[in-house]
Amino acid sequence: MDSVGSYLKKHAEALVKDVGIEAACELTGKSKATLGRYYSHNPEHEDRFMPIDAVARLEEASSFPHVTSALADLKGITLSYDDRRKNTREGGVNADVIALSQRFAMLMAEYSQSIEDGIITVNEAKRLLKETVALQHVLLDMKLHLEEETS
């Protein structure tokens, strides 16, 4: 088995163990044996991987997005993990627009204060980064609400 397959199987196993085998079976509709094959390193199962819909269901219930993080690592992508409940469906596009304008105003206020002396310090940059990430979360929620309305 190649290193990529082995790496993904290791993280699939971590995901199942995070959720718990019984809960994983219930969430995915798969048996213990089937789930076990997805992370087995035995040669007869080396080409079997967990379907993406099963990964999504398990990661929704897990404490950490194990497989998504592993895929990002393989591609050289850095993820920003936020432990708030992901992609909540509360509100809608109108609430998102309000949140977006509020977050943008907070980012601009932070920027204005940071650039006042012509220098952005490390601490000011960290605060700007925090506001930028918060703005990104609002945009993601808005994107999901818009996709929901178009489907």
Side-chain angles (χ1 to χ4, degrees):
M1 177 181 317
D2 68 347
S3 61
V4 170
S6 179
Y7 187 70
L8 290 174
K9 284 183 177 280
K10 180 178 90 169
H11 288 280
E13 181 177 15
L15 177 61
V16 170
K17 288 182 177 180
D18 184 345
V19 173
I21 189 71
E22 297 293 334
C25 291
E26 190 174 318
L27 287 167
T28 62
K30 309 286 185 192
S31 69
K32 289 180 186 179
T34 298
L35 288 175
R37 288 182 196 105
Y38 292 146
Y39 52 82
S40 171
H41 291 277
N42 291 334
E44 65 266 20
H45 303 301
E46 70 181 11
D47 62 342
R48 293 184 62 124
F49 293 92
M50 190 179 295
I52 196 71
D53 63 325
V55 170
R57 286 187 184 100
L58 292 176
E59 286 192 347
E60 181 63 31
S62 72
S63 65
F64 184 79
H66 299 277
V67 175
T68 298
S69 178
L71 288 168
D73 288 345
L74 289 170
K75 188 65 178 166
I77 297 171
T78 302
L79 298 178
S80 174
Y81 182 68
D82 180 9
D83 62 356
R84 70 186 178 124
R85 271 326 310 158
K86 305 163 282 289
N87 307 328
T88 56
R89 299 290 189 230
E90 295 175 12
V93 176
N94 291 338
D96 292 335
V97 169
I98 292 167
L100 182 63
S101 64
Q102 289 171 337
R103 276 292 170 195
F104 188 73
M106 291 171 70
L107 175 64
M108 290 298 99
E110 190 66 49
Y111 174 75
S112 177
Q113 183 180 354
S114 297
I115 200 68
E116 201 169 74
D117 61 359
I119 300 168
I120 297 177
T121 66
V122 172
N123 286 335
E124 290 169 336
K126 287 179 181 179
R127 288 194 308 266
L128 285 168
L129 180 59
K130 182 181 175 187
E131 286 302 327
T132 303
V133 170
L135 184 62
Q136 184 178 17
H137 288 296
V138 173
L139 285 168
L140 178 59
D141 288 342
M142 186 175 187
K143 176 184 179 269
L144 292 171
H145 283 126
L146 288 168
E147 286 176 350
E148 202 173 77
E149 287 189 12
T150 60
S151 58

